[in-house]
């Protein structure tokens, strides 16, 4: 398993797919890394030499913010929104969707499982 930017990428996958396991590297950046370093994107990650792995590492480290530093930056941005108490910050605080999605239905991922509330008893049932 080659280690790129502190992440063990899967060795049985193609290089352009394996690079996506690094947080902050998606499809476009993965192909860009392969082009700029001169590595064939169809080769398997297990077939990479130490020299090629170091090329990929140095290119990613010099050109992109990835992994821990990027995660920290995202968390700081969310904390800033919470501190200034803007709309998006309040949505993060309340654990609701922050990008305009509806919440009457279809917000289960953010809101979590349903919390059932018992219905009111009618007058007829009280007797």
């Amino acid at each position: 398993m080659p280690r790129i930017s502190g992440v063990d990428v899967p060795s049985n996958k193609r290089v352009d797919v394996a690079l996506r396991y690094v947080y902050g590297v998606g499809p476009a950046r993965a192909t860009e890394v392969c082009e700029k370093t001169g590595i064939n994107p169809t080769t398997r990650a297990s077939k990479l030499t130490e020299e090629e792995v170091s090329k990929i590492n140095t290119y990613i480290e010099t050109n992109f913010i990835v992994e821990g530093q990027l995660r920290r930056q995202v968390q700081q941005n969310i904390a800033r929104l919470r501190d200034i108490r803007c709309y998006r910050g309040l949505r993060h605080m309340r654990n609701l969707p922050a990008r305009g999605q509806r919440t009457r239905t279809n917000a289960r991922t953010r809101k979590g499982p349903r919390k059932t509330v018992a219905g009111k008893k009618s007058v007829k049932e009280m007797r």
Side-chain angles (χ1 to χ4, degrees), residues 58-93:
T58 54
Y59 185 80
I60 288 176
E61 293 299 320
T62 55
N63 294 310
F64 308 126
I65 299 172
V66 290
E67 278 305 316
Q69 190 177 358
L70 181 59
R71 290 179 201 271
R72 206 167 15 266
Q73 189 177 17
V74 169
Q75 287 303 316
Q76 287 171 347
N77 290 339
I78 292 172
R80 178 181 52 82
L81 293 171
R82 286 178 176 170
D83 291 342
I84 63 176
R85 300 188 65 80
C86 69
Y87 181 78
R88 275 174 53 208
L90 294 174
R91 302 299 281 181
H92 279 289
M93 288 165 71

Short mmCIF file of all heavy atoms in Angstrom, two decimals, residues 58-93:
data_model
loop_
_atom_site.label_atom_id
_atom_site.label_comp_id
_atom_site.label_asym_id
_atom_site.label_seq_id
_atom_site.Cartn_x
_atom_site.Cartn_y
_atom_site.Cartn_z
N THR A 58 5.29 15.09 -3.42
CA THR A 58 5.80 16.47 -3.46
C THR A 58 4.86 17.37 -4.26
O THR A 58 4.64 18.52 -3.87
CB THR A 58 7.20 16.52 -4.07
OG1 THR A 58 7.20 15.87 -5.35
CG2 THR A 58 8.22 15.86 -3.17
N TYR A 59 4.28 16.85 -5.36
CA TYR A 59 3.36 17.67 -6.15
C TYR A 59 2.12 18.04 -5.35
O TYR A 59 1.69 19.20 -5.34
CB TYR A 59 2.96 16.95 -7.44
CG TYR A 59 2.11 17.83 -8.33
CD1 TYR A 59 2.69 18.80 -9.14
CD2 TYR A 59 0.72 17.73 -8.33
CE1 TYR A 59 1.91 19.63 -9.94
CE2 TYR A 59 -0.05 18.55 -9.12
CZ TYR A 59 0.55 19.50 -9.92
OH TYR A 59 -0.21 20.33 -10.70
N ILE A 60 1.55 17.07 -4.64
CA ILE A 60 0.35 17.33 -3.85
C ILE A 60 0.66 18.30 -2.71
O ILE A 60 -0.09 19.24 -2.46
CB ILE A 60 -0.25 16.00 -3.33
CG1 ILE A 60 -0.89 15.23 -4.48
CG2 ILE A 60 -1.28 16.26 -2.24
CD1 ILE A 60 -1.42 13.87 -4.10
N GLU A 61 1.78 18.08 -2.02
CA GLU A 61 2.11 18.93 -0.87
C GLU A 61 2.38 20.37 -1.28
O GLU A 61 2.05 21.29 -0.55
CB GLU A 61 3.34 18.36 -0.13
CG GLU A 61 3.08 17.03 0.54
CD GLU A 61 2.00 17.08 1.60
OE1 GLU A 61 1.95 18.08 2.36
OE2 GLU A 61 1.20 16.14 1.67
N THR A 62 2.98 20.58 -2.47
CA THR A 62 3.32 21.94 -2.87
C THR A 62 2.15 22.68 -3.50
O THR A 62 2.09 23.91 -3.42
CB THR A 62 4.49 21.94 -3.88
OG1 THR A 62 4.16 21.10 -4.99
CG2 THR A 62 5.77 21.46 -3.22
N ASN A 63 1.19 21.97 -4.10
CA ASN A 63 0.13 22.64 -4.86
C ASN A 63 -1.24 22.64 -4.21
O ASN A 63 -2.09 23.45 -4.59
CB ASN A 63 0.03 22.02 -6.26
CG ASN A 63 1.27 22.28 -7.07
OD1 ASN A 63 1.74 23.41 -7.17
ND2 ASN A 63 1.84 21.22 -7.62
N PHE A 64 -1.51 21.75 -3.29
CA PHE A 64 -2.85 21.64 -2.71
C PHE A 64 -2.81 21.65 -1.20
O PHE A 64 -1.82 21.25 -0.59
CB PHE A 64 -3.54 20.34 -3.16
CG PHE A 64 -3.56 20.11 -4.64
CD1 PHE A 64 -3.07 18.92 -5.17
CD2 PHE A 64 -4.05 21.06 -5.50
CE1 PHE A 64 -3.10 18.69 -6.53
CE2 PHE A 64 -4.09 20.85 -6.86
CZ PHE A 64 -3.60 19.66 -7.38
N ILE A 65 -3.92 22.07 -0.61
CA ILE A 65 -4.13 21.90 0.83
C ILE A 65 -4.95 20.63 0.98
O ILE A 65 -6.05 20.53 0.43
CB ILE A 65 -4.89 23.10 1.42
CG1 ILE A 65 -4.09 24.38 1.23
CG2 ILE A 65 -5.18 22.87 2.89
CD1 ILE A 65 -4.86 25.63 1.61
N VAL A 66 -4.40 19.64 1.69
CA VAL A 66 -5.08 18.35 1.80
C VAL A 66 -5.06 17.86 3.24
O VAL A 66 -4.36 18.41 4.10
CB VAL A 66 -4.42 17.27 0.90
CG1 VAL A 66 -4.68 17.55 -0.55
CG2 VAL A 66 -2.97 17.13 1.18
N GLU A 67 -5.85 16.81 3.49
CA GLU A 67 -5.92 16.08 4.75
C GLU A 67 -6.13 16.96 5.97
O GLU A 67 -7.03 17.78 5.97
CB GLU A 67 -4.70 15.18 4.92
CG GLU A 67 -4.82 13.86 4.19
CD GLU A 67 -6.06 13.06 4.54
OE1 GLU A 67 -6.42 12.96 5.72
OE2 GLU A 67 -6.69 12.55 3.63
N GLY A 68 -5.29 16.85 6.99
CA GLY A 68 -5.50 17.51 8.28
C GLY A 68 -5.62 19.02 8.17
O GLY A 68 -6.47 19.64 8.82
N GLN A 69 -4.78 19.61 7.37
CA GLN A 69 -4.80 21.06 7.22
C GLN A 69 -6.11 21.53 6.59
O GLN A 69 -6.69 22.53 7.02
CB GLN A 69 -3.61 21.51 6.36
CG GLN A 69 -3.39 23.00 6.34
CD GLN A 69 -2.16 23.39 5.53
OE1 GLN A 69 -1.45 22.52 5.01
NE2 GLN A 69 -1.92 24.67 5.42
N LEU A 70 -6.61 20.80 5.60
CA LEU A 70 -7.88 21.15 4.96
C LEU A 70 -9.06 20.93 5.91
O LEU A 70 -9.97 21.75 5.99
CB LEU A 70 -8.08 20.33 3.68
CG LEU A 70 -9.34 20.60 2.89
CD1 LEU A 70 -9.42 22.06 2.44
CD2 LEU A 70 -9.42 19.69 1.69
N ARG A 71 -9.04 19.81 6.64
CA ARG A 71 -10.10 19.54 7.62
C ARG A 71 -10.14 20.65 8.67
O ARG A 71 -11.22 21.11 9.05
CB ARG A 71 -9.88 18.19 8.31
CG ARG A 71 -10.09 17.00 7.41
CD ARG A 71 -9.82 15.72 8.19
NE ARG A 71 -9.52 14.61 7.34
CZ ARG A 71 -10.42 13.77 6.83
NH1 ARG A 71 -11.70 13.94 7.10
NH2 ARG A 71 -10.07 12.77 6.07
N ARG A 72 -8.96 21.06 9.13
CA ARG A 72 -8.87 22.13 10.13
C ARG A 72 -9.42 23.44 9.57
O ARG A 72 -10.15 24.17 10.25
CB ARG A 72 -7.42 22.30 10.57
CG ARG A 72 -7.23 22.86 11.93
CD ARG A 72 -5.80 22.76 12.47
NE ARG A 72 -4.72 22.45 11.58
CZ ARG A 72 -4.24 21.21 11.35
NH1 ARG A 72 -4.77 20.17 11.94
NH2 ARG A 72 -3.24 21.02 10.52
N GLN A 73 -9.10 23.73 8.32
CA GLN A 73 -9.56 24.96 7.67
C GLN A 73 -11.09 24.98 7.55
O GLN A 73 -11.72 26.00 7.82
CB GLN A 73 -8.92 25.08 6.29
CG GLN A 73 -9.14 26.39 5.62
CD GLN A 73 -8.41 26.46 4.29
OE1 GLN A 73 -7.99 25.44 3.72
NE2 GLN A 73 -8.24 27.65 3.78
N VAL A 74 -11.67 23.84 7.18
CA VAL A 74 -13.12 23.75 7.06
C VAL A 74 -13.78 23.96 8.42
O VAL A 74 -14.77 24.69 8.55
CB VAL A 74 -13.53 22.39 6.44
CG1 VAL A 74 -15.02 22.15 6.54
CG2 VAL A 74 -13.09 22.32 4.99
N GLN A 75 -13.23 23.33 9.46
CA GLN A 75 -13.79 23.49 10.81
C GLN A 75 -13.67 24.93 11.30
O GLN A 75 -14.58 25.44 11.96
CB GLN A 75 -13.09 22.53 11.79
CG GLN A 75 -13.49 21.09 11.62
CD GLN A 75 -14.98 20.87 11.74
OE1 GLN A 75 -15.64 21.40 12.63
NE2 GLN A 75 -15.54 20.10 10.82
N GLN A 76 -12.57 25.59 10.97
CA GLN A 76 -12.41 27.00 11.35
C GLN A 76 -13.42 27.88 10.64
O GLN A 76 -13.96 28.83 11.24
CB GLN A 76 -10.99 27.48 11.05
CG GLN A 76 -9.96 26.92 11.99
CD GLN A 76 -8.54 27.24 11.54
OE1 GLN A 76 -8.31 27.68 10.42
NE2 GLN A 76 -7.59 27.03 12.45
N ASN A 77 -13.70 27.59 9.37
CA ASN A 77 -14.70 28.35 8.63
C ASN A 77 -16.08 28.20 9.25
O ASN A 77 -16.82 29.18 9.40
CB ASN A 77 -14.74 27.92 7.16
CG ASN A 77 -13.51 28.35 6.40
OD1 ASN A 77 -12.80 29.26 6.82
ND2 ASN A 77 -13.25 27.68 5.30
N ILE A 78 -16.43 26.97 9.65
CA ILE A 78 -17.73 26.74 10.28
C ILE A 78 -17.79 27.42 11.63
O ILE A 78 -18.80 28.04 11.99
CB ILE A 78 -18.01 25.22 10.40
CG1 ILE A 78 -18.21 24.63 9.01
CG2 ILE A 78 -19.22 24.95 11.27
CD1 ILE A 78 -18.29 23.12 8.97
N ALA A 79 -16.69 27.38 12.40
CA ALA A 79 -16.64 28.04 13.71
C ALA A 79 -16.79 29.56 13.55
O ALA A 79 -17.47 30.21 14.36
CB ALA A 79 -15.34 27.72 14.42
N ARG A 80 -16.21 30.12 12.50
CA ARG A 80 -16.33 31.56 12.24
C ARG A 80 -17.78 31.92 11.96
O ARG A 80 -18.30 32.91 12.49
CB ARG A 80 -15.45 31.95 11.05
CG ARG A 80 -15.53 33.41 10.66
CD ARG A 80 -14.65 33.70 9.45
NE ARG A 80 -14.89 32.81 8.32
CZ ARG A 80 -15.89 32.98 7.44
NH1 ARG A 80 -16.72 33.98 7.55
NH2 ARG A 80 -16.02 32.13 6.44
N LEU A 81 -18.46 31.10 11.15
CA LEU A 81 -19.87 31.35 10.86
C LEU A 81 -20.72 31.28 12.12
O LEU A 81 -21.66 32.06 12.30
CB LEU A 81 -20.39 30.34 9.82
CG LEU A 81 -19.81 30.45 8.42
CD1 LEU A 81 -20.25 29.27 7.57
CD2 LEU A 81 -20.22 31.75 7.76
N ARG A 82 -20.39 30.34 13.01
CA ARG A 82 -21.12 30.23 14.27
C ARG A 82 -20.87 31.45 15.15
O ARG A 82 -21.79 31.95 15.79
CB ARG A 82 -20.69 28.97 15.02
CG ARG A 82 -21.21 27.71 14.43
CD ARG A 82 -20.71 26.52 15.19
NE ARG A 82 -21.30 25.30 14.66
CZ ARG A 82 -20.92 24.09 15.00
NH1 ARG A 82 -19.95 23.91 15.85
NH2 ARG A 82 -21.51 23.05 14.47
N ASP A 83 -19.63 31.91 15.20
CA ASP A 83 -19.27 33.03 16.05
C ASP A 83 -19.98 34.32 15.64
O ASP A 83 -20.43 35.09 16.49
CB ASP A 83 -17.76 33.26 16.05
CG ASP A 83 -17.01 32.14 16.76
OD1 ASP A 83 -17.65 31.38 17.52
OD2 ASP A 83 -15.79 32.02 16.54
N ILE A 84 -20.06 34.56 14.33
CA ILE A 84 -20.71 35.79 13.88
C ILE A 84 -22.23 35.63 13.81
O ILE A 84 -22.94 36.60 13.54
CB ILE A 84 -20.16 36.27 12.51
CG1 ILE A 84 -20.45 35.26 11.41
CG2 ILE A 84 -18.69 36.57 12.61
CD1 ILE A 84 -20.03 35.73 10.03
N ARG A 85 -22.70 34.42 14.10
CA ARG A 85 -24.13 34.11 14.20
C ARG A 85 -24.89 34.50 12.93
O ARG A 85 -25.99 35.04 13.00
CB ARG A 85 -24.74 34.75 15.44
CG ARG A 85 -24.09 34.25 16.73
CD ARG A 85 -24.77 34.70 17.97
NE ARG A 85 -26.12 34.17 18.13
CZ ARG A 85 -26.42 32.94 18.57
NH1 ARG A 85 -25.46 32.10 18.87
NH2 ARG A 85 -27.66 32.56 18.69
N CYS A 86 -24.31 34.22 11.79
CA CYS A 86 -25.02 34.43 10.53
C CYS A 86 -25.97 33.26 10.31
O CYS A 86 -25.97 32.28 11.05
CB CYS A 86 -24.05 34.58 9.37
SG CYS A 86 -23.18 33.07 8.96
N TYR A 87 -26.79 33.35 9.29
CA TYR A 87 -27.81 32.33 9.03
C TYR A 87 -27.18 30.95 8.88
O TYR A 87 -27.64 29.98 9.50
CB TYR A 87 -28.60 32.70 7.77
CG TYR A 87 -29.69 31.71 7.44
CD1 TYR A 87 -30.88 31.72 8.14
CD2 TYR A 87 -29.51 30.76 6.44
CE1 TYR A 87 -31.88 30.81 7.85
CE2 TYR A 87 -30.50 29.85 6.15
CZ TYR A 87 -31.69 29.87 6.86
OH TYR A 87 -32.66 28.96 6.57
N ARG A 88 -26.13 30.85 8.07
CA ARG A 88 -25.48 29.55 7.87
C ARG A 88 -24.90 29.02 9.16
O ARG A 88 -24.94 27.82 9.44
CB ARG A 88 -24.39 29.66 6.81
CG ARG A 88 -24.92 29.51 5.42
CD ARG A 88 -23.86 29.75 4.36
NE ARG A 88 -22.67 28.95 4.54
CZ ARG A 88 -21.46 29.32 4.13
NH1 ARG A 88 -21.29 30.47 3.51
NH2 ARG A 88 -20.43 28.55 4.31
N GLY A 89 -24.35 29.92 9.98
CA GLY A 89 -23.81 29.50 11.28
C GLY A 89 -24.89 28.96 12.19
O GLY A 89 -24.69 27.97 12.89
N LEU A 90 -26.05 29.61 12.20
CA LEU A 90 -27.16 29.14 13.02
C LEU A 90 -27.64 27.77 12.54
O LEU A 90 -28.01 26.92 13.34
CB LEU A 90 -28.32 30.14 12.98
CG LEU A 90 -28.04 31.49 13.63
CD1 LEU A 90 -29.20 32.45 13.39
CD2 LEU A 90 -27.77 31.34 15.11
N ARG A 91 -27.68 27.56 11.23
CA ARG A 91 -28.09 26.26 10.70
C ARG A 91 -27.11 25.17 11.13
O ARG A 91 -27.52 24.06 11.46
CB ARG A 91 -28.19 26.30 9.17
CG ARG A 91 -29.14 27.33 8.62
CD ARG A 91 -30.54 27.13 9.07
NE ARG A 91 -31.21 26.09 8.31
CZ ARG A 91 -32.48 25.74 8.50
NH1 ARG A 91 -33.21 26.35 9.40
NH2 ARG A 91 -33.01 24.77 7.79
N HIS A 92 -25.81 25.49 11.15
CA HIS A 92 -24.82 24.53 11.64
C HIS A 92 -25.04 24.26 13.12
O HIS A 92 -24.93 23.11 13.57
CB HIS A 92 -23.40 25.05 11.39
CG HIS A 92 -22.91 24.82 10.00
ND1 HIS A 92 -22.59 23.58 9.52
CD2 HIS A 92 -22.68 25.69 9.00
CE1 HIS A 92 -22.19 23.68 8.26
NE2 HIS A 92 -22.24 24.95 7.92
N MET A 93 -25.31 25.30 13.89
CA MET A 93 -25.52 25.13 15.32
C MET A 93 -26.71 24.23 15.62
O MET A 93 -26.67 23.42 16.54
CB MET A 93 -25.72 26.50 15.99
CG MET A 93 -24.47 27.33 16.06
SD MET A 93 -24.78 29.05 16.44
CE MET A 93 -25.26 28.98 18.13
#
